Amino acid sequence: MDLVNHLEGRLLFAVPKKGRLLQAALNLLEGADIQFRRENRLDIALVKNLPIALVFLPAADIPTFVGEGRVDLGITGYDQVQEHDAGVRAVASARRQSGEWKHGEKAKPQGCDTVMELGFGACKLQVQVPVKGEYATGKDLIGKNIGTSFVHLAQEYFARLELEQEGLVDADASQLADRKLKTKIIELSGSVEAACALGVADGIVDLVESGETMKAAGLMAIDTVVDSSAILIKSKAPSNPEMVELIAARIGGVITAQKYVLCQYNVERTRLADATKITPGKRAPTVTSLEDEGWVAVSAMVEKKRIATVMDDLTTVGATDIIVLDIHNTRGSRA
C-alpha cells in the first residue's frame, strides 16, 4: 500500500522511532486507544479508528517537523525542544550578522507549543568532567574543548558563563546567540561520554538518566543545563485543532489514571468531615447515604503513591470496608 497517498485528511502525529522514549510512548498510545499496526521497516502507520497517521522520527527531529508545521503533534523530550529552539535562535543570529535578515521582515510563525508533560523519560542534560580532573565548575571549562550532541544548548550555556565572567549578568537570548565563544564546542553524534577519555574534549554536555554510564566513564556532573522529561507538543497551526484536543484529552486521561486509584469506604456521618480531609479527591469526594442510618459511602481519587498512608489514616478515623480500585482511564480531569 502506498501510505503517502493515504495521508490526506489525516492529522500527523510524530512518535520517537527508537531510543529511551519509544516504548513508553507506545504504551501511552495504547492506553489512549489509538489503534495502529506498524509494518516492518516503515516509518508511517495509519491509525485504524481515527483520522490520524503516526510518523516515526528520531526524537531530535520531532521539534523541527512540528515547529515547521509539517507534523501536527509530537512526543519528544523537553531537552530536544530546547535544543531546537536554541538552534532557531542561532540561525536568526547568523542571518542578522550576515545582513540577510531585512529590516521589517516578519518571520513565518515557527516553533511548537507544549501541550502537557507525559510523566516519563526523566533525565538531566548535564555538564560532565573527569572525576580525577581539575575542573569543578562550568566556568573552569571556559576556553576549553566541549564534546556534545546538544551543540546549541552548549553554546548558549557557555555564552552565558563567558558574559557573566565579563560582568554581564542576565544576558538575553539574542546576546547569547550573537556571542563569539572562546570555548570550542565539538559536535558528536554518539558515545559522547568517551570524548574525555579519548582526549577529544576536556568536558562534555550530555544526558544523564541513572548516572551509571557517566560513572563507568569516570565522569561526574558539575552543572545541569536542562531538566528534561517527555512532553506532548503541537504545531502553532495544526491542521485539525479539534482532533488535537481529542488526542490531548485521551492522553491526559491515561496519565491521570496512571497517577491515581479510586478509594472507596464506609464511615459514620459524624466522622465524615475527618475522613474527607484525608480523601478530598481531585475536586470533591462522592458521598452516598447508606441504608444503615448514620453511615455513608465515600468514593474519591487518591494518588497511588499515597494510598497506603491514606488507608492507615482512614482506619484511624473509623472508616471501614476500605477498598482500592485501579483506574484504567479517565476524562474531564486535569493530571
Side-chain angles (χ1 to χ4, degrees):
M1 181 172 67
D2 185 358
L3 290 178
V4 175
N5 292 329
H6 288 75
L7 295 182
E8 188 173 348
R10 289 180 179 266
L11 182 136
L12 301 184
F13 189 168
V15 179
K17 67 186 296 182
K18 59 182 180 179
R20 62 190 184 87
L21 301 182
L22 173 58
Q23 191 54 55
L26 295 179
N27 294 343
L28 197 60
L29 297 179
E30 181 182 3
D33 194 31
I34 295 174
Q35 301 172 15
F36 69 96
R37 180 182 173 188
R38 184 183 179 189
E39 299 291 345
N40 259 349
R41 306 178 69 84
L42 287 181
D43 288 336
I44 297 175
L46 303 182
V47 174
K48 300 174 184 177
N49 58 334
L50 290 168
I52 301 170
L54 300 181
V55 185
F56 292 86
L57 297 168
D61 294 341
I62 289 175
T64 300
F65 280 85
V66 176
E68 293 183 356
R70 309 291 181 183
V71 171
D72 302 287
L73 270 174
I75 292 175
T76 189
Y78 178 71
D79 54 293
Q80 301 292 355
V81 174
Q82 292 299 296
E83 172 67 9
H84 169 262
D85 290 350
V88 170
R89 291 189 290 270
V91 169
S93 171
R95 291 190 65 193
R96 282 195 305 271
Q97 293 182 19
S98 67
E100 185 183 343
W101 194 289
K102 297 175 185 175
H103 181 68
E105 177 185 353
K106 289 186 178 179
K108 286 193 306 182
Q110 284 193 336
C112 47
D113 294 326
T114 298
V115 180
M116 67 181 74
E117 295 181 6
L118 299 177
F120 62 85
C123 62
K124 295 175 183 290
L125 183 65
Q126 294 188 310
V127 183
Q128 303 166 44
V129 296
V131 172
K132 297 180 180 178
E134 57 189 292
Y135 310 115
T137 69
K139 287 185 178 178
D140 293 337
L141 290 168
I142 289 175
K144 306 299 182 182
N145 295 328
I146 307 298
T148 186
S149 57
F150 290 83
V151 172
H152 302 297
L153 283 174
Q155 287 172 339
E156 288 195 349
Y157 173 84
F158 283 100
R160 181 176 286 107
L161 292 185
E162 291 182 15
L163 288 168
E164 287 176 359
Q165 195 177 58
E166 294 170 9
L168 180 58
V169 182
D170 297 328
D172 62 31
S174 64
Q175 288 173 310
L176 296 178
D178 291 347
R179 172 77 182 184
K180 290 187 177 179
L181 289 180
K182 302 173 188 172
T183 309
K184 184 179 179 182
I185 308 298
I186 302 167
E187 183 171 7
L188 301 172
S189 58
S191 299
V192 178
E193 68 279 355
C196 294
L198 296 175
V200 174
D202 301 295
I204 65 171
V205 175
D206 200 20
L207 289 177
V208 176
E209 290 183 79
S210 66
E212 292 303 315
T213 302
M214 176 178 66
K215 290 174 184 173
L219 301 173
M220 65 178 182
I222 57 172
D223 203 358
T224 297
V225 180
V226 171
D227 286 301
S228 182
S229 64
I231 57 175
L232 179 68
I233 58 176
K234 68 176 182 178
S235 163
K236 291 189 178 293
S239 63
N240 187 338
E242 293 79 13
M243 185 56 60
V244 168
E245 291 303 316
L246 174 68
I247 295 169
R250 286 193 179 192
I251 289 176
V254 174
I255 293 169
T256 299
Q258 291 171 346
K259 288 182 180 178
Y260 289 85
V261 291
L262 189 65
C263 182
Q264 297 179 335
Y265 57 91
N266 298 330
V267 70
E268 290 182 275
R269 187 175 288 279
T270 55
R271 298 186 177 185
L272 178 60
D274 291 333
T276 54
K277 283 180 184 175
I278 299 166
T279 59
K282 282 182 63 62
R283 182 168 297 170
T286 300
V287 180
T288 308
S289 295
L290 296 177
E291 288 191 9
D292 191 347
E293 190 175 347
W295 284 77
V296 294
V298 181
S299 179
M301 292 173 67
V302 176
E303 284 186 283
K304 278 183 182 177
K305 63 185 179 183
R306 294 182 53 242
I307 190 60
T309 302
V310 165
M311 293 176 76
D312 294 340
D313 294 344
L314 286 173
T315 302
T316 301
V317 299
T320 63
D321 310 312
I322 304 168
I323 60 173
V324 177
L325 304 173
D326 283 333
I327 303 171
H328 294 290
N329 209 328
T330 182
R331 196 66 61 89
S333 59
R334 294 178 182 177

